[in-house]
Amino acid sequence: SAAGAVMRAAATPPGTVAPEGRPAAPTVVLEGPTDKGVWTLFMQRASKAGGPVDNTFTPGFVEEIRSSFRRVRDWAATSPSCALVLASTGKFFSNGHDLDWLNSAGRRDQEEFIDSFYDLLAEVLSAPFPVVASINGHAFAAGLHLALCADYRVFRGDRGFLCMNEVDMKPDPGEAAPGRFAHADRKLMAIIHYKAPHEDRAHMLRTMILEGQRFAGPDALRSGLVDRLAEESRVLLEAQELAAQWASKASVTYGVLKQELAHNPLEAFRLRTATSRL
């Protein structure tokens, strides 16, 4: 159990209720720190009322994650050890963007959301403490982007896929898809190029981006997309153990070194979609 545990629940919109009339569950819960300085951020958003947790991204959900992330960053500034685990519950780590919301939003709101999402990824990439993704199930598209921005990844070994499935999108005219938002595809490719394993990278990129391969646990480990596999009941525990192992490295220097390593994607993320047009 966490020492001096703090729980921060992301506020769902006022008056939001579950189908049975109960208040809706929070979309983000932050627990920690442990005596090793480990925090755990649980994502638990269901895109449909009464539906399964799929952690699809909307502006409000992204802001709740960023708010909790900043809370950990502020705490880390005065603490000798710190690490963060990004976790989920249910079948999905994240199923990417909430396309129902995205396709119903106005163009300006869409663009501002894209910028906000990549600002979140920039915060993860440059955090002055280790970040570990506890991938309990599927991580698709933007959900995989988030997982890749972590410093370490622990994936469930027996079920679930990692997949960049944009190539399989067949949008109607005007719907969100690659090519619609200025700089968004450059940002996507920047993180994939940075995090894709170096050995035979061209083949790996073709497999991920142009074929949309679904990587099950053994394939993901073999390809270097994840660092460890674990049984379902141990994914979170092993992610927290990995976070505790490296939490003492947290420092301003750690953050600077991460920023230099991730220079190319961070430069791409600074490009603003909301002030550009394709």
Side-chain angles (χ1 to χ4, degrees), residues 57-230:
F57 299 114
T58 62
F61 186 40
V62 167
E63 182 50 41
E64 290 298 338
I65 298 171
R66 293 185 69 189
S67 177
S68 292
F69 194 90
R70 287 191 293 266
R71 179 173 178 173
V72 176
R73 190 175 186 128
D74 289 346
W75 184 87
T78 58
S79 303
S81 297
C82 182
L84 176 66
V85 175
L86 297 174
S88 175
T89 58
K91 181 179 178 181
F92 289 92
F93 175 77
S94 170
N95 200 27
H97 295 321
D98 186 329
L99 294 180
D100 287 342
W101 177 85
L102 193 57
N103 286 322
S104 66
R107 182 63 183 258
R108 186 72 181 183
D109 289 339
Q110 292 175 330
E111 293 169 340
E112 290 179 350
F113 164 68
I114 296 296
D115 285 340
S116 177
F117 176 72
Y118 281 102
D119 287 344
L120 165 62
L121 298 195
E123 290 183 77
V124 176
L125 270 181
S126 61
F129 48 81
V131 180
V132 182
S134 172
I135 309 174
N136 57 298
H138 304 312
F140 275 57
L144 181 53
H145 302 173
L146 177 60
L148 287 174
C149 286
D151 302 296
Y152 304 94
R153 283 161 293 284
V154 180
F155 188 25
R156 181 175 171 180
D158 64 327
R159 293 189 66 182
F161 296 106
L162 308 182
C163 182
M164 298 295 299
N165 61 332
E166 284 85 349
V167 71
D168 294 319
M169 296 179 69
K170 302 292 189 290
D172 292 330
E175 289 188 339
R180 176 159 173 79
F181 302 113
H183 308 307
D185 302 305
R186 183 183 305 182
K187 297 174 185 182
L188 182 159
M189 295 304 168
I191 188 60
I192 297 299
H193 274 272
Y194 173 47
K195 290 290 187 168
H198 288 268
E199 186 175 350
D200 200 6
R201 175 178 284 179
H203 178 268
M204 182 66 174
L205 292 173
R206 183 184 67 194
T207 300
M208 289 185 68
I209 303 300
L210 299 182
E211 297 175 3
Q213 178 173 324
R214 298 184 175 200
F215 291 83
D219 290 334
L221 181 64
R222 192 161 41 246
S223 68
L225 289 175
V226 300
D227 301 284
R228 293 186 186 178
L229 298 180

